[in-house]
Amino acid sequence: MSTAENQKIAVVGLGYVGLPLAVEFGKKRAVLGFDINAKRIAELKAGNDKTLETTSEQLREAKYLSFSDKLEDLKTCTIFIVTVPTPVDHVNRPDLTPLQKASHTVGTALKPGDIVIYESTVYPGATEEVCVPVLEKVSGLTFNKDFFAGYSPERINPGDKVNTLTKIKKITSGSTPEVASTVDTLYSSIITAGTHKASSIKVAEAAKVIENTQRDLNIALVNELSVIFDRIGIDTLDVLEAAGSKWNFLPFRPGMVGGHCIGVDPYYLTHKAEEVGYNPQVILAGRRINDNMARYVARATIKRMVKNGINVAQATVGVLGVTFKENCPDIRNSKVADLIKELKTWGVQVVAIDPWASADEVQHEYGFSLGEITPSAPVDSLVVAVGHNEFRTLSAQTLRSYVRTERPVIADVKSLYKREELAAQGFTVFRL
């Protein structure tokens, strides 16, 4: 196996993970950024990135990076890095369709000596059990004889401008010891934080999937505590701040767990666990709690509206924020959509606003339109669901001007505001 120093790389899938990777490699060596979405390719060729993970200047700095949606262009590459989504279906089973299709695409361009590296989050064993057979079938080549594989899980944090790609330590692995070293050297050329070479592809796959499973369970714990404390009549944030005075208390906060990672990855691990004959208990319990939080927030809001004498069937609730996290346009697996769906089952009208989200994407993905909430277009109660900077800076007085009801409810999901100031404006305050 020769070194990878001068070999051309193809990054397959140019979303939140693939594009930053292609840009970093493209500053130093020949890279083809490949995506089947012709509109995305045209956008990137014009120097624009709708995900906002890269700037026009960063795209220009990647002087060795080109973009294409043409299959024949992949044949000029010898290292393929696959960065496509790995979602779950409507019953939370892993949907490996994008990964299988990407493997088929790469297989058409695969040549003896090539290396295929996967970054998509999967369950332990998926690379060698699902992806490699597709590569073999399409290419007619033999794994670990004619071509090789690696796995280096993505650690991109969408919207985070501090912990960026090069500043996050990278796990690497390969299908043979020699390939593992080649893959590690490849990533070491751009990752200033360093790399960790795992002992096998399965170990690297498992390490990635438990990172988010651990975080999911920690958030599930504080979500469950939030439900308990609400029934007791004490504020969760007050409790967490008090407990946080001890040096080793972990500072997790309650919330609606969405997005492409934390709300999805644990299901990949539990799928594999069940496949090998183990019925996971703790992981799925955490998932049930977190999956239910959007419904819980909606019902807690409705309950308080009823207590305040608001006619729910005639009321309008304003929802501030639709993306899955703050200061980011990513709407994938947003639990705000579940919250809105639950509110509508109670007969209320819902008006959602979000300065970061694409109205077209929201309509396409979730079937509702973004609207307007202003003093001239008021609502009856508010749910502040996402901590965008644009919402954090709103005063209690401004929020009050958005509602017309005498005794409005505000669900401050992320605890953005001082509850005393909201109460002084006449709000009944609920927060996780």
Side-chain angles (χ1 to χ4, degrees):
M1 177 61 59
S2 62
T3 63
E5 290 178 6
N6 298 312
Q7 298 181 48
K8 187 174 182 181
I9 297 172
V11 176
V12 180
L14 298 175
Y16 286 86
V17 173
L19 182 62
L21 189 70
V23 166
E24 286 302 324
F25 276 125
K27 293 175 182 178
K28 297 186 174 186
R29 57 191 294 161
V31 177
L32 175 69
F34 180 86
D35 202 289
I36 59 173
N37 186 338
K39 184 178 178 182
R40 174 69 166 161
I41 294 298
E43 167 195 310
L44 293 173
K45 283 183 175 179
N48 301 314
D49 172 25
K50 69 177 181 180
T51 70
L52 306 181
E53 289 301 302
T54 60
T55 64
S56 297
E57 182 180 355
Q58 288 170 327
L59 287 170
R60 286 194 299 271
E61 289 173 352
K63 56 184 177 180
Y64 303 112
L65 171 61
S66 60
F67 298 105
S68 177
D69 60 343
K70 304 293 189 296
L71 288 175
E72 57 265 29
D73 291 338
L74 285 173
K75 296 178 180 179
T76 64
C77 303
T78 55
I79 298 175
F80 302 86
I81 303 179
V82 178
T83 62
V84 296
T86 44
V88 292
D89 63 17
H90 67 286
V91 290
N92 294 321
R93 291 175 303 199
D95 180 4
L96 295 175
T97 305
L99 204 57
Q100 291 169 313
K101 288 183 176 179
S103 297
H104 188 281
T105 296
V106 170
T108 64
L110 211 55
K111 303 170 297 299
D114 287 356
I115 301 174
V116 186
I117 305 167
Y118 291 88
E119 289 212 3
S120 307
T121 303
V122 291
Y123 52 77
T127 298
E128 292 154 298
E129 296 165 10
V130 176
C131 302
V132 165
V134 175
L135 295 172
E136 286 188 313
K137 181 178 180 181
V138 175
S139 68
L141 301 176
T142 302
F143 178 51
N144 275 344
K145 177 186 175 186
D146 301 318
F147 74 93
F148 304 87
Y151 184 78
S152 181
E154 61 89 3
R155 281 176 164 171
I156 293 290
N157 187 24
D160 189 339
K161 303 308 177 186
V162 177
N163 300 300
T164 51
L165 172 67
T166 61
K167 299 174 185 175
I168 304 172
K169 197 164 190 175
K170 199 88 161 68
I171 297 172
T172 65
S173 65
S175 56
T176 70
E178 190 178 7
V179 171
S181 295
T182 300
V183 172
D184 193 68
T185 300
L186 176 70
Y187 281 102
S188 295
S189 69
I190 63 167
I191 305 297
T192 57
T195 60
H196 175 92
K197 185 165 65 172
S199 59
S200 69
I201 287 177
K202 280 186 180 180
V203 167
E205 291 167 327
K208 167 59 180 178
V209 81
I210 71 165
E211 287 175 21
N212 287 327
T213 299
Q214 182 185 70
R215 183 166 174 79
D216 191 43
L217 285 169
N218 279 314
I219 297 172
L221 173 61
V222 290
N223 274 337
E224 188 165 58
L225 293 174
S226 175
V227 174
I228 295 169
F229 294 152
D230 182 56
R231 294 193 178 197
I232 294 173
I234 53 179
D235 185 77
T236 304
L237 188 56
D238 287 348
V239 177
L240 294 177
E241 287 177 345
S245 63
K246 189 180 180 187
W247 78 92
N248 61 351
F249 184 82
L250 300 177
F252 286 92
R253 294 288 182 89
M256 297 186 297
V257 182
H260 65 296
C261 286
I262 301 177
V264 172
D265 295 355
Y267 286 122
Y268 274 74
L269 183 56
T270 57
H271 168 82
K272 185 63 177 181
E274 290 169 347
E275 193 176 80
V276 295
Y278 179 75
N279 184 26
Q281 304 294 316
V282 176
I283 299 170
L284 287 176
R287 280 281 74 235
R288 284 191 293 271
I289 291 169
N290 286 342
D291 275 346
N292 193 55
M293 291 310 290
R295 181 182 299 174
Y296 171 71
V297 171
R299 292 184 176 185
T301 304
I302 293 294
K303 179 180 176 180
R304 285 160 175 79
M305 289 172 66
V306 171
K307 282 188 176 181
N308 285 6
I310 299 173
N311 185 346
V312 172
Q314 300 297 319
T316 300
V317 173
V319 175
L320 278 60
V322 173
T323 62
F324 92 88
K325 67 180 291 188
E326 65 273 6
N327 305 324
C328 171
D330 195 345
I331 65 168
R332 289 175 296 174
N333 192 32
S334 173
K335 295 304 177 184
V336 181
D338 293 344
L339 181 146
I340 290 172
K341 183 178 179 180
E342 180 67 22
L343 286 172
K344 288 181 176 180
T345 66
W346 291 85
V348 302
Q349 298 295 310
V350 178
V351 177
I353 65 171
D354 195 310
W356 286 81
S358 162
D360 290 341
E361 286 186 9
V362 171
Q363 180 66 54
H364 178 266
E365 188 72 22
Y366 298 115
F368 63 83
S369 303
L370 296 180
E372 182 182 16
I373 304 172
T374 64
S376 58
V379 294
D380 297 295
S381 287
L382 293 169
V383 177
V384 185
V386 185
H388 292 317
N389 288 341
E390 291 86 344
F391 300 151
R392 287 179 183 273
T393 56
L394 295 175
S395 67
Q397 292 90 337
T398 299
L399 290 165
R400 185 65 179 88
S401 72
Y402 291 168
V403 294
R404 58 194 169 214
T405 316
E406 183 179 346
R407 299 176 63 201
V409 174
I410 183 167
D412 180 12
V413 176
K414 304 290 287 185
S415 297
L416 303 183
Y417 316 108
K418 293 182 179 179
R419 66 180 186 277
E420 298 85 1
E421 293 180 0
L422 294 173
Q425 291 295 318
F427 280 111
T428 295
V429 183
F430 166 75
R431 60 187 194 180
L432 289 178

